[in-house]
Amino acid sequence: MLERRYNVLTGEWVIVSALTQQRPTNPTNECPLCVGGAEFSEPYDLCSFDNRFPSLRVDAPEVYYEDEIYAKERALGKCEVVVYTVEHESAMSLMPVHQIEKLIKMWADRYLELSKLPFVKYVFIFENRGAQVGATLPHPHGQLYAFPFIPKRIEAKLTALTRYFDEHHSCALCDVIERELKHGERIVHENEAFIAVVPFYARWPYEVHVYPKRHVGSIVELNNKERYLLSKVLKVVTMKYDLLFQQAFPYMMMLFQAPVNDVRYQHAFHFHVEFNPVKRDKDKIKWMASVETGTWAFINPKIPEEAARELRSVEVLE
């Protein structure tokens, strides 16, 4: 079964995809992303390909329903796997900057290509690193979902950012960046084009956001120099994470961009990257439990300014 179902209690879409149940989970005999595994017979550098266990498909089956309270739609869209490198033991923190730069170019290329599909409304690029956040393969890779609808949290961001722009006649994130640069207490790292901060409104103990200083709506709008500088800041943040507790730091990394095939939000939406790590200490996890899951209200046990100070003090060699 592959379909999406509408929740009349929350106004959100839920994707029902029985095929994802069949995906391999941390196989011990062979890695499907290594050369000789299920996906690659020849050496490669980095690669994007269709997910074998997709939640969305361009040829999603037709669906029918008779009771309007239980509305359904086709699970149209696309799910891709993006493999960062042929090196199984690598990670973004270990990859050369030029490899991350190539990865950013691939993200931009795939974003542009998928935005050409007329039914796609949102392209979401993300990485789950570590079994603690649901990664099923340790080989460095991320994923890309092309949604036929605006997911609920993206909708909340669009509403808040548009409202702020209407009230203040300026971009909310541009104003946040101005204040973070002025005060500096939450900055983890900065270069000519980007700042990495533990945000004032952090939901996770060591949450870090990466903001471009220039207002752009998507990764496609970054120039070559900005892509290079973004690759450097992504490497620095992930290196700091790994060095903080001297262990491979599990995180969810998500790229938030303006919707595609819709120009209404370009003025108000500011491209940004969120790192949501689940660690609250070396041996402790911040779980997304009842309050966070049921109400979307997060309780952060770590003071953001303290987390920023800890991460800022971790020295890395760029």
Side-chain angles (χ1 to χ4, degrees):
M1 174 179 286
L2 179 62
E3 61 187 27
R4 54 188 173 105
R5 300 183 175 187
Y6 187 70
N7 182 342
V8 294
L9 275 67
T10 61
E12 64 187 329
W13 287 100
V14 176
I15 302 169
V16 179
S17 174
L19 193 60
T20 57
Q21 183 76 341
Q22 301 174 20
R23 62 186 173 176
T25 301
N26 293 310
T28 55
N29 53 341
E30 69 168 25
C31 171
L33 303 182
C34 283
V35 176
E39 302 292 349
F40 299 103
S41 58
E42 303 287 339
Y44 63 93
D45 184 17
L46 71 170
C47 185
S48 172
F49 59 88
D50 287 350
N51 194 320
R52 286 176 182 259
F53 311 96
S55 303
L56 302 162
R57 286 176 20 193
V58 294
D59 60 347
E62 296 288 346
V63 296
Y64 305 95
Y65 63 93
E66 296 179 349
D67 189 340
E68 66 178 12
I69 200 170
Y70 296 134
K72 300 178 182 178
E73 291 288 348
R74 296 174 68 195
L76 281 172
K78 213 161 187 292
C79 296
E80 295 186 0
V81 177
V82 181
V83 186
Y84 296 176
T85 170
V86 72
E87 301 291 338
H88 181 85
E89 301 294 338
S90 190
M92 188 168 285
S93 57
L94 301 173
M95 287 161 52
V97 169
H98 69 83
Q99 188 73 11
I100 303 174
E101 199 176 357
K102 285 189 285 186
L103 172 63
I104 291 170
K105 185 176 185 309
M106 175 173 283
W107 285 338
D109 289 346
R110 297 312 303 151
Y111 176 89
L112 271 179
E113 191 65 25
L114 291 168
S115 68
K116 294 176 183 174
L117 295 170
F119 53 80
V120 171
K121 294 186 177 179
Y122 198 79
V123 177
F124 188 58
I125 300 168
F126 64 97
E127 176 191 351
N128 295 324
R129 187 204 188 193
Q132 298 93 331
V133 298
T136 55
L137 297 172
H139 195 118
H141 73 287
Q143 298 185 62
L144 189 156
Y145 277 26
F147 286 99
F149 60 92
I150 301 294
K152 207 62 180 176
R153 185 159 183 254
I154 310 298
E155 183 181 292
K157 286 197 176 204
L158 293 173
T159 299
L161 291 171
T162 303
R163 182 172 62 236
Y164 183 94
F165 193 95
D166 290 343
E167 293 174 353
H168 299 85
H169 307 292
S170 62
C171 162
L173 208 41
C174 286
D175 290 352
V176 165
I177 292 165
E178 180 182 329
R179 282 158 177 77
E180 294 299 335
L181 289 171
K182 180 179 179 181
H183 299 295
E185 64 177 342
R186 285 181 290 272
I187 293 179
V188 173
H189 181 70
E190 178 187 0
N191 63 30
E192 185 180 338
F194 292 88
I195 60 168
V197 303
V198 177
F200 170 79
Y201 32 77
R203 302 184 304 165
W204 299 87
Y206 290 97
E207 181 171 336
V208 168
H209 291 192
V210 175
Y211 302 142
K213 294 178 179 176
R214 184 170 70 90
H215 182 92
V216 294
S218 76
I219 199 169
V220 174
E221 298 171 51
L222 298 177
N223 59 39
N224 289 338
K225 184 176 181 180
E226 288 170 331
R227 289 183 184 181
Y228 168 71
L229 292 169
L230 176 57
S231 66
K232 291 193 71 172
V233 75
L234 293 180
K235 182 174 175 66
V236 167
V237 169
T238 51
M239 288 173 71
K240 283 177 175 284
Y241 274 158
D242 283 358
L243 290 170
L244 181 64
F245 297 134
Q246 298 293 320
Q247 59 184 227
F249 203 75
Y251 60 73
M252 296 167 274
M253 180 190 71
M254 300 157 284
L255 278 63
F256 291 95
Q257 308 182 77
V260 299
N261 300 316
D262 188 341
V263 298
R264 288 178 296 167
Y265 306 103
Q266 289 293 331
H267 65 293
F269 198 92
H270 194 122
F271 163 66
H272 55 286
V273 182
E274 287 190 11
F275 284 91
N276 287 188
V278 295
K279 286 276 186 176
R280 60 185 173 92
D281 208 333
K282 184 174 183 177
D283 301 313
K284 296 176 181 174
I285 296 288
K286 159 66 179 172
W287 298 106
M288 189 165 173
S290 296
V291 172
E292 289 85 356
T293 303
T295 70
W296 230 19
F298 275 69
I299 300 165
N300 185 352
K302 189 79 179 179
I303 298 171
E305 291 74 19
E306 288 183 359
R309 187 163 54 249
E310 286 180 42
L311 287 168
R312 190 166 55 242
S313 68
V314 175
E315 295 186 5
V316 299
L317 295 175
E318 294 186 56

